[in-house]
Amino acid sequence: MEDIIQLHDRKFKIMIPAEKIDQAVETVAQRINADYAGKETPLFLGILNGSFMFMSDLIKKIEFQNELSFVKLASYDGTCSTGCVKSLIGLNNSIEGRHVIIVEDIVDTGESIEHMIHDLEARKPASIEVCTLFFKPGSYRKTLPVKYRAMEIGNEFIVGYGLDYDQLGRSLKDIYVVTE
Ligand code: 5GP
Ligand code: MG
Ligand code: MG
């Protein structure tokens, strides 16, 4: 893949090559393997669409018996895109008494995972932790702990490895950052 790519109206340049992503996924997977060894069948819950590639690579490195499922966060009505309450759709499994690991592409302000955790807690799981590929410490506005962060980045906009810019860029195997 080229070092500079064009998606819609913006140019992006390469920031994190696939090999570096793989190392970070390996490190976070080993932490989870150590922490969850011996626990009753944990459930990995991926948030679509952004987490599909991370989930796919992460789960192959998990050494304990597990289940996995995907959910979407959707606005209550189709009219608000940001700053409105989001609901969790597509969760059919009962999570009561289960150890749940939320798998996210990126935690920015923390708004999305806060909604998600609030909804999941009402369903009485044994535990909930968040595993995110990217964490932006400079924009995080919440106090909820985000235990597993594969990589931390600044307040820049990235695409690739599942993350999109208006639906483009998800299939890129490397991470690209928007240029000025
Ligand atoms: P939060 O609710 O934590 O502010 O934002 C979470 C969501 O915003 C992510 O799941 C993702 O969809 C989007 N997002 C935040 N930062 C970025 C970024 O740098 N790149 C892309 N592609 N999406 C982002
Ligand atoms: Mg996401
Ligand atoms: Mg997006």
Side-chain angles (χ1 to χ4, degrees):
M1 203 31 102
E2 312 95 281
D3 285 356
I4 305 270
I5 55 166
Q6 175 97 31
L7 302 175
H8 299 297
D9 57 336
R10 308 302 294 267
K11 283 192 165 57
F12 292 81
K13 65 172 193 281
I14 189 124
M15 180 179 159
I16 308 169
E19 305 73 63
K20 278 267 171 2
I21 301 170
D22 187 62
Q23 285 166 15
V25 176
E26 179 68 33
T27 303
V28 83
Q30 292 317 329
R31 283 183 59 205
I32 293 172
N33 281 329
D35 293 351
Y36 286 81
K39 291 195 175 161
E40 179 77 35
T41 318
L43 171 68
F44 288 83
L45 203 55
I47 316 302
L48 291 173
N49 294 320
S51 73
F52 80 96
M53 209 177 278
F54 178 38
M55 174 71 101
S56 168
D57 286 341
L58 178 72
I59 209 72
K60 285 179 269 184
K61 300 176 192 292
I62 294 302
E63 290 159 359
F64 50 81
Q65 179 170 283
N66 62 80
E67 287 181 23
L68 83 97
S69 191
F70 286 98
V71 292
K72 263 197 176 216
L73 275 179
S75 301
Y76 276 123
D77 66 4
T79 58
C80 54
S81 50
T82 52
C84 69
V85 184
K86 303 258 188 81
S87 64
L88 199 65
I89 58 172
L91 183 62
N92 304 318
N93 329 41
S94 164
I95 62 161
E96 192 172 338
R98 306 286 306 272
H99 294 290
V100 177
I101 301 160
I102 297 172
V103 179
E104 257 287 27
D105 51 356
I106 186 162
V107 175
D108 186 15
T109 63
E111 203 63 49
S112 309
I113 53 155
E114 184 172 72
H115 284 306
M116 172 103 194
I117 289 171
H118 189 254
D119 185 320
L120 290 175
E121 269 171 353
R123 304 172 197 233
K124 304 200 167 33
S127 68
I128 306 179
E129 295 294 351
V130 177
C131 175
T132 187
L133 179 63
F134 290 102
F135 185 75
K136 292 182 175 174
S139 14
Y140 193 61
R141 299 273 169 271
K142 307 292 176 184
T143 52
L144 294 161
V146 178
K147 187 165 184 182
Y148 303 105
R149 312 164 180 188
M151 290 175 275
E152 294 194 350
I153 57 167
N155 293 347
E156 51 222 336
F157 187 82
I158 59 171
V159 296
Y161 197 79
L163 291 101
D164 73 307
Y165 172 45
D166 198 9
Q167 302 311 324
L168 292 183
R170 290 195 200 279
S171 63
L172 297 163
K173 67 180 172 53
D174 309 294
I175 292 290
Y176 289 73
V177 62
V178 72
T179 59
E180 304 317 312

PDB file of all heavy atoms in Angstrom, residues 47-51 73 103-107 112-113 132 163, ligand 2:
ATOM      1  N   ILE A  47     -17.901  -4.367  19.109  1.00  0.00           N
ATOM      2  CA  ILE A  47     -18.811  -3.307  18.667  1.00  0.00           C
ATOM      3  C   ILE A  47     -18.597  -3.066  17.173  1.00  0.00           C
ATOM      4  O   ILE A  47     -17.509  -2.652  16.754  1.00  0.00           O
ATOM      5  CB  ILE A  47     -18.543  -1.976  19.427  1.00  0.00           C
ATOM      6  CG1 ILE A  47     -18.342  -2.206  20.926  1.00  0.00           C
ATOM      7  CG2 ILE A  47     -19.672  -0.969  19.158  1.00  0.00           C
ATOM      8  CD1 ILE A  47     -19.470  -2.874  21.619  1.00  0.00           C
ATOM      9  N   LEU A  48     -19.633  -3.340  16.407  1.00  0.00           N
ATOM     10  CA  LEU A  48     -19.563  -3.155  14.955  1.00  0.00           C
ATOM     11  C   LEU A  48     -19.707  -1.687  14.578  1.00  0.00           C
ATOM     12  O   LEU A  48     -20.346  -0.945  15.298  1.00  0.00           O
ATOM     13  CB  LEU A  48     -20.685  -3.971  14.288  1.00  0.00           C
ATOM     14  CG  LEU A  48     -20.505  -5.492  14.374  1.00  0.00           C
ATOM     15  CD1 LEU A  48     -21.736  -6.198  13.835  1.00  0.00           C
ATOM     16  CD2 LEU A  48     -19.264  -5.939  13.608  1.00  0.00           C
ATOM     17  N   ASN A  49     -19.158  -1.242  13.411  1.00  0.00           N
ATOM     18  CA  ASN A  49     -18.403  -2.090  12.501  1.00  0.00           C
ATOM     19  C   ASN A  49     -16.902  -2.091  12.830  1.00  0.00           C
ATOM     20  O   ASN A  49     -16.178  -3.004  12.430  1.00  0.00           O
ATOM     21  CB  ASN A  49     -18.563  -1.583  11.061  1.00  0.00           C
ATOM     22  CG  ASN A  49     -20.001  -1.726  10.563  1.00  0.00           C
ATOM     23  OD1 ASN A  49     -20.657  -2.718  10.834  1.00  0.00           O
ATOM     24  ND2 ASN A  49     -20.475  -0.730   9.849  1.00  0.00           N
ATOM     25  N   GLY A  50     -16.452  -1.048  13.528  1.00  0.00           N
ATOM     26  CA  GLY A  50     -15.029  -0.768  13.648  1.00  0.00           C
ATOM     27  C   GLY A  50     -14.157  -1.868  14.222  1.00  0.00           C
ATOM     28  O   GLY A  50     -12.970  -1.946  13.915  1.00  0.00           O
ATOM     29  N   SER A  51     -14.729  -2.748  15.067  1.00  0.00           N
ATOM     30  CA  SER A  51     -13.887  -3.703  15.795  1.00  0.00           C
ATOM     31  C   SER A  51     -13.690  -5.035  15.080  1.00  0.00           C
ATOM     32  O   SER A  51     -13.040  -5.925  15.624  1.00  0.00           O
ATOM     33  CB  SER A  51     -14.472  -3.965  17.180  1.00  0.00           C
ATOM     34  OG  SER A  51     -15.627  -4.766  17.070  1.00  0.00           O
ATOM     35  N   LEU A  73     -24.089  -0.147  18.206  1.00  0.00           N
ATOM     36  CA  LEU A  73     -24.646   0.960  18.967  1.00  0.00           C
ATOM     37  C   LEU A  73     -25.420   1.811  17.978  1.00  0.00           C
ATOM     38  O   LEU A  73     -24.843   2.308  17.016  1.00  0.00           O
ATOM     39  CB  LEU A  73     -23.535   1.805  19.591  1.00  0.00           C
ATOM     40  CG  LEU A  73     -22.972   1.351  20.924  1.00  0.00           C
ATOM     41  CD1 LEU A  73     -21.861   2.289  21.362  1.00  0.00           C
ATOM     42  CD2 LEU A  73     -24.048   1.287  21.995  1.00  0.00           C
ATOM     43  N   VAL A 103     -15.011  -5.361  23.113  1.00  0.00           N
ATOM     44  CA  VAL A 103     -13.913  -5.156  22.166  1.00  0.00           C
ATOM     45  C   VAL A 103     -14.258  -3.975  21.256  1.00  0.00           C
ATOM     46  O   VAL A 103     -15.210  -4.039  20.478  1.00  0.00           O
ATOM     47  CB  VAL A 103     -13.640  -6.440  21.346  1.00  0.00           C
ATOM     48  CG1 VAL A 103     -12.514  -6.214  20.343  1.00  0.00           C
ATOM     49  CG2 VAL A 103     -13.300  -7.596  22.289  1.00  0.00           C
ATOM     50  N   GLU A 104     -13.493  -2.895  21.403  1.00  0.00           N
ATOM     51  CA  GLU A 104     -13.739  -1.647  20.669  1.00  0.00           C
ATOM     52  C   GLU A 104     -12.565  -1.322  19.740  1.00  0.00           C
ATOM     53  O   GLU A 104     -11.428  -1.699  20.025  1.00  0.00           O
ATOM     54  CB  GLU A 104     -13.891  -0.488  21.663  1.00  0.00           C
ATOM     55  CG  GLU A 104     -15.317  -0.045  21.904  1.00  0.00           C
ATOM     56  CD  GLU A 104     -15.933   0.736  20.742  1.00  0.00           C
ATOM     57  OE1 GLU A 104     -15.525   0.549  19.579  1.00  0.00           O
ATOM     58  OE2 GLU A 104     -16.842   1.523  21.013  1.00  0.00           O
ATOM     59  N   ASP A 105     -12.844  -0.589  18.681  1.00  0.00           N
ATOM     60  CA  ASP A 105     -11.767  -0.123  17.807  1.00  0.00           C
ATOM     61  C   ASP A 105     -11.015   1.028  18.467  1.00  0.00           C
ATOM     62  O   ASP A 105      -9.790   1.052  18.512  1.00  0.00           O
ATOM     63  CB  ASP A 105     -12.294   0.289  16.422  1.00  0.00           C
ATOM     64  CG  ASP A 105     -13.468   1.266  16.466  1.00  0.00           C
ATOM     65  OD1 ASP A 105     -13.961   1.598  17.570  1.00  0.00           O
ATOM     66  OD2 ASP A 105     -13.907   1.704  15.388  1.00  0.00           O
ATOM     67  N   ILE A 106     -11.773   2.007  18.974  1.00  0.00           N
ATOM     68  CA  ILE A 106     -11.118   3.194  19.517  1.00  0.00           C
ATOM     69  C   ILE A 106     -12.011   3.853  20.565  1.00  0.00           C
ATOM     70  O   ILE A 106     -13.229   3.924  20.391  1.00  0.00           O
ATOM     71  CB  ILE A 106     -10.751   4.181  18.368  1.00  0.00           C
ATOM     72  CG1 ILE A 106      -9.936   5.368  18.861  1.00  0.00           C
ATOM     73  CG2 ILE A 106     -11.966   4.626  17.585  1.00  0.00           C
ATOM     74  CD1 ILE A 106      -9.188   6.113  17.735  1.00  0.00           C
ATOM     75  N   VAL A 107     -11.409   4.256  21.674  1.00  0.00           N
ATOM     76  CA  VAL A 107     -12.127   5.026  22.686  1.00  0.00           C
ATOM     77  C   VAL A 107     -11.569   6.441  22.632  1.00  0.00           C
ATOM     78  O   VAL A 107     -10.386   6.667  22.842  1.00  0.00           O
ATOM     79  CB  VAL A 107     -11.975   4.414  24.092  1.00  0.00           C
ATOM     80  CG1 VAL A 107     -12.626   5.316  25.137  1.00  0.00           C
ATOM     81  CG2 VAL A 107     -12.594   3.015  24.143  1.00  0.00           C
ATOM     82  N   SER A 112     -19.395   6.558  23.864  1.00  0.00           N
ATOM     83  CA  SER A 112     -19.964   5.288  23.369  1.00  0.00           C
ATOM     84  C   SER A 112     -19.851   4.157  24.387  1.00  0.00           C
ATOM     85  O   SER A 112     -20.827   3.457  24.651  1.00  0.00           O
ATOM     86  CB  SER A 112     -19.273   4.844  22.083  1.00  0.00           C
ATOM     87  OG  SER A 112     -19.239   5.887  21.151  1.00  0.00           O
ATOM     88  N   ILE A 113     -18.659   3.984  24.966  1.00  0.00           N
ATOM     89  CA  ILE A 113     -18.530   2.870  25.918  1.00  0.00           C
ATOM     90  C   ILE A 113     -19.316   3.133  27.193  1.00  0.00           C
ATOM     91  O   ILE A 113     -19.765   2.198  27.845  1.00  0.00           O
ATOM     92  CB  ILE A 113     -17.069   2.498  26.278  1.00  0.00           C
ATOM     93  CG1 ILE A 113     -16.280   3.693  26.745  1.00  0.00           C
ATOM     94  CG2 ILE A 113     -16.399   1.707  25.186  1.00  0.00           C
ATOM     95  CD1 ILE A 113     -15.120   3.301  27.629  1.00  0.00           C
ATOM     96  N   THR A 132      -9.704  -2.054  24.096  1.00  0.00           N
ATOM     97  CA  THR A 132      -9.743  -1.214  22.902  1.00  0.00           C
ATOM     98  C   THR A 132      -8.407  -1.236  22.180  1.00  0.00           C
ATOM     99  O   THR A 132      -7.349  -1.261  22.814  1.00  0.00           O
ATOM    100  CB  THR A 132     -10.174   0.234  23.257  1.00  0.00           C
ATOM    101  OG1 THR A 132     -10.351   0.978  22.043  1.00  0.00           O
ATOM    102  CG2 THR A 132      -9.165   0.961  24.130  1.00  0.00           C
ATOM    103  N   LEU A 163     -11.152   0.803  11.073  1.00  0.00           N
ATOM    104  CA  LEU A 163     -11.645   2.180  11.296  1.00  0.00           C
ATOM    105  C   LEU A 163     -11.859   2.903   9.972  1.00  0.00           C
ATOM    106  O   LEU A 163     -11.032   2.795   9.062  1.00  0.00           O
ATOM    107  CB  LEU A 163     -10.646   2.969  12.148  1.00  0.00           C
ATOM    108  CG  LEU A 163     -10.541   2.525  13.595  1.00  0.00           C
ATOM    109  CD1 LEU A 163      -9.322   1.670  13.799  1.00  0.00           C
ATOM    110  CD2 LEU A 163     -10.517   3.721  14.516  1.00  0.00           C
TER     111      LEU A 163
HETATM  112 MG    MG B   2     -16.145   1.789  17.815  1.00  0.00          MG
END
